[in-house]
Amino acid sequence: MTVLSDKLTSLLGAKTATALGEALDIHTVADLLRHYPRRYAERGELTNIAGLEIGEHATVMARIEKVNKRRMRNKPGWIVEMTITDGQRRLECAFFGNAHQRERELQLGKTGLFAGKVTAFRNKLQLANPEYQMLDTTGDSADGSTLDDFLGAIIPVYPAASGMPSWSIARCVRQVLDTLEREDDPMPQELLQRYGFVELFDALHGIHRPQDQGALEAARERLKWDEAMAIQLIFAQRRQSAVSRPAPACPAKPGGILESFDKRLPFDLTSGQREVGDQIAADLSGEHPMNRLLQGEVGSGKTVVALRAMLQVVDAGRQAAMLAPTEVLASQHARSLREMLGELGQAGELGAADDATKVTLLTGSMSAKERKQALLDAASGAAGIVVGTHALIQDTVSFADLGFVVVDEQHRFGVEQRDALRTRGADGTSPHVLVMTATPIPRTVAMTVYGDLETSALRVMPVGRSPISTTVVPVAEKPAWLDRVWQRVREEVEKGHQAYIVCPRIGDEPPSDKNGDKRPPLAVLDVAEELAAGPLSGLRLGILHGRLPADDKDAVMRAFAAGKLDVLVATTVIEVGVNVPNATAMVIMDADRFGVSQLHQLRGRVGRGSVAGLCLLVTEAIDGTSTRERLAAVESTTDGFELSRLDLELRREGDILGAAQSGTRSSLKLLSLLQDEETIAEARLRAQEIVAGDPGLTGHPGLAQLVASVVDDARAEYLEKS
């Protein structure tokens, strides 16, 4: 008999086990049985071809509409060209070699499963040399060893890889399920009975070999619950750990620097800013660490809220740190804070106010002299506010008495990096933490991805912001449109305005080989050179990217802000925080290489003055792909909350515990952060109850094992330290 912890080699043979391991990172019975079908095909129901993505490994059930054989042009041999259809859209297939066998097996009107990498050929979607399994059992293609997988009415279609098609995975799953032993269920019986869930053994059978839709739905609900519980147990343990540590209490101080700052503010705080400010002030006064997420669209006033909180901490005799994702943004934050504070931020300088503090910038590319002084300011306590990049969380940086950390643009940081800050307080305390993001987050994502944080939102839209119009420029279908793009840039400059041109890559690095058949992403250095010599010749072009020396980056941004440059060709280093009201146009090259939220952030750099903004999304993505759907969504709305939901629907939800979309196996396979809100909320409540009574899950070994299946050893160690 087989149990979930067994290795696959003895069950499936070394060759198959190795193939599964190399192609899909599947090594044990549990790995294989938690590699759930991506979808299910009803016998006779064809797959919807629309929405396939170039570069993905797809499996489609389709009907053969056309077959043609022709000789290769440049070498001996034949190509069999085939068109398959779902009845609405068509997909081209090309086979090389063994033409006679292909012609015999691939007959007009027959239905089959076709699996391969989606590519583009002459602006049409194509599967090159796909693997296939014909579902017609009457001809010579009948293969008893694989057709058993398709005898049921519901056919599982698995996430597959080259050399390991869906039907091969189905065969492996069947072999394992036939000998699987019923073990003790990891979920407490009380919870199974309370919610009416089926046992894990039955759920695994039901998800892979469903007898009917009812069995499939019951299996899904149980396995979704497992994922929700595992994630929420982790966050419940993290919250328990966080509140068990002391924090430096920083109550508001009458007559301090915060009060002086409020009196000098040239505008009234919005009701939202006052409300969130009061929540944060109360948290900072407590002896347990604040862990709060503050979200709000660009311009909603998050920085002022954060600065007021930092001043409350300075009033209490402690230090505050502000962590930004890039050096450009860190430098801009430091300048912005100094400007807002005026003489209140000039401690040690002539003309400083009596109760002034000092704002110090610390980044990785500073000169040795500047860095030494900044480190001294932080360590001595001379700087009440220290601003920097991730360099701030390195062990070489010490603080006299760190009481509060502000993390800007949280989507650039994972929980692990945030946790590294928790050990930086003085005398064994954990500093209070405020996490800020301008990327709106759906409630279920906040509950799950930021499950250890309380959440606040500034929903007031920016005052005085101009509208931004967005247009997709499909250069694969309409190459002449690109000429019009550069004409529009020239027109904006002739009106006295400025423009950004954004590229995915710098250009001084070797292109990644992960692109497969796709060309390398366009690079700043290449595009800037071509534009300067061609369509934008005569304009003043600047270049900005993350590997420029810090002084050069600062000089370029200052020149652009001062109107000394007409066009800034940049990477996403300009994505957040950069504020040039005279910049009215943005061209995003290879827009399909960016996510929805990132595109929304980028276009937020224009339309910041009195003139309407223009954003042009240049792409070679083919119409009908999910990539074009994403770009069309960005074109259709500027509502960040709506786009954030859409972003989650269109992309794979990824590893929500990772520092980034790291490419490792996803923690979430069935659970949808958008559609399963009720399940997530229930799991959160139950997880909190369980962890409150059993923080280490020692009395719940099955649940501890469930958590371990979601969190690998390295992350588990990190969570234990946090």
Side-chain angles (χ1 to χ4, degrees), residues 469-474 481 603 614-618 631 634-635:
S469 66
T470 305
T471 303
V472 175
V473 181
W481 281 28
R603 70 174 167 192
L614 170 70
C615 181
L616 301 173
L617 306 177
V618 179
L631 297 181
V634 177
E635 182 181 49

Side-chain angles (χ1 to χ4, degrees), residues 103-373:
E103 280 188 301
R104 183 165 50 84
E105 294 177 345
L106 302 170
Q107 297 177 16
L108 288 178
K110 296 294 177 66
T111 297
L113 285 166
F114 301 89
K117 187 175 181 181
V118 181
T119 59
F121 181 66
R122 293 176 180 166
N123 288 336
K124 292 182 179 179
L125 294 180
Q126 182 188 69
L127 294 179
N129 242 12
E131 298 170 280
Y132 58 89
Q133 178 67 55
M134 303 312 296
L135 299 186
D136 187 280
T137 60
T138 59
D140 297 333
S141 63
D143 178 353
S145 66
T146 56
L147 286 173
D148 286 351
D149 297 320
F150 305 118
L151 292 179
I154 303 173
I155 300 172
V157 179
Y158 290 91
S162 180
M164 187 53 66
S166 175
W167 48 89
S168 295
I169 297 169
R171 190 163 58 245
C172 294
V173 168
R174 188 183 70 240
Q175 283 180 248
V176 167
L177 282 177
D178 285 346
T179 59
L180 186 66
E181 185 176 342
R182 189 183 289 269
E183 301 175 75
D184 289 340
D185 201 295
M187 198 62 58
Q189 285 297 315
E190 182 267 324
L191 288 181
L192 294 182
Q193 291 167 9
R194 180 173 187 165
Y195 294 106
F197 292 131
V198 299
E199 296 259 341
L200 180 60
F201 178 88
D202 301 315
L204 291 173
H205 276 81
I207 199 77
H208 292 288
R209 303 175 76 179
Q211 297 302 307
D212 51 39
Q213 287 293 341
L216 175 57
E217 194 53 39
R220 269 191 178 135
E221 290 306 309
R222 165 60 204 271
L223 296 170
K224 282 181 179 183
W225 176 260
D226 281 11
E227 291 181 6
M229 274 298 285
I231 297 294
Q232 293 303 335
L233 283 166
I234 291 164
F235 282 122
Q237 287 178 312
R238 287 163 52 80
R239 281 192 297 273
Q240 186 90 356
S241 170
V243 299
S244 66
R245 286 200 192 89
C250 302
K253 173 186 168 186
I257 188 172
L258 173 56
E259 200 169 289
S260 299
F261 175 74
D262 282 348
K263 286 176 183 173
R264 296 170 194 226
L265 268 180
F267 53 83
D268 292 330
L269 295 173
T270 66
S271 58
Q273 286 173 319
R274 283 195 295 273
E275 182 183 340
V276 172
D278 290 344
Q279 291 172 343
I280 293 170
D283 288 347
L284 292 174
S285 302
E287 295 183 354
H288 292 296
M290 172 178 75
N291 286 286
R292 185 172 289 279
L293 170 70
L294 174 58
Q295 57 176 320
E297 289 264 26
V298 172
S300 56
K302 296 185 300 296
T303 306
V304 173
V305 171
L307 177 55
R308 294 184 69 250
M310 288 191 274
L311 295 178
Q312 179 174 328
V313 170
V314 170
D315 273 338
R318 304 186 191 276
Q319 293 168 289
M322 189 171 198
L323 186 63
T326 66
E327 291 195 357
V328 167
L329 187 54
S331 301
Q332 182 147 326
H333 271 316
R335 276 201 303 274
S336 175
L337 295 180
R338 289 184 188 125
E339 287 169 6
M340 282 194 279
L341 286 169
E343 62 187 34
L344 292 173
Q346 298 172 351
E349 301 175 36
L350 284 173
D354 293 340
D355 50 356
T357 189
K358 183 175 185 178
V359 179
T360 289
L361 175 67
L362 177 60
T363 60
S365 62
M366 284 178 142
S367 68
K369 182 179 179 183
E370 290 172 325
R371 182 172 174 79
K372 184 178 179 182
Q373 184 59 53

Side-chain angles (χ1 to χ4, degrees), residues 535-681:
L536 299 186
S537 62
L539 300 187
R540 299 170 298 171
L541 267 64
I543 290 174
L544 185 67
H545 58 75
R547 282 208 285 274
L548 281 175
D551 288 348
D552 291 356
K553 280 187 279 197
D554 203 43
V556 170
M557 272 313 305
R558 285 179 182 274
F560 190 65
K564 295 177 182 176
L565 295 172
D566 300 315
V567 177
L568 188 61
V569 187
T571 59
T572 55
V573 73
I574 58 131
E575 179 183 350
V576 288
V578 175
N579 184 21
V580 181
N582 192 47
T584 56
M586 174 174 286
V587 180
I588 303 179
M589 307 300 293
D590 280 346
D592 48 284
R593 311 283 181 130
F594 302 96
V596 168
S597 294
Q598 198 169 30
L599 291 170
H600 181 58
Q601 286 279 346
L602 282 166
R603 70 174 167 192
R605 299 306 105 206
V606 296
R608 304 177 73 84
S610 57
V611 178
L614 170 70
C615 181
L616 301 173
L617 306 177
V618 179
T619 180
E620 292 181 0
I622 295 172
D623 188 28
T625 60
S626 57
T627 297
R628 280 288 288 276
E629 286 180 34
R630 282 195 296 118
L631 297 181
V634 177
E635 182 181 49
S636 68
T637 181
T638 54
D639 184 326
F641 281 89
E642 184 181 333
L643 283 173
S644 70
R645 291 184 65 85
L646 192 97
D647 194 18
L648 206 60
E649 287 171 0
L650 291 175
R651 65 180 169 84
R652 292 181 177 86
E653 283 160 336
D655 185 348
I656 64 169
L657 291 176
Q661 299 295 326
S662 58
T664 56
R665 274 207 314 271
S666 169
S667 305
L668 301 183
K669 296 191 171 87
L670 291 176
L671 190 72
S672 165
L673 299 185
L674 288 176
Q675 296 166 10
D676 298 314
E677 181 170 349
E678 195 174 317
T679 299
I680 292 168

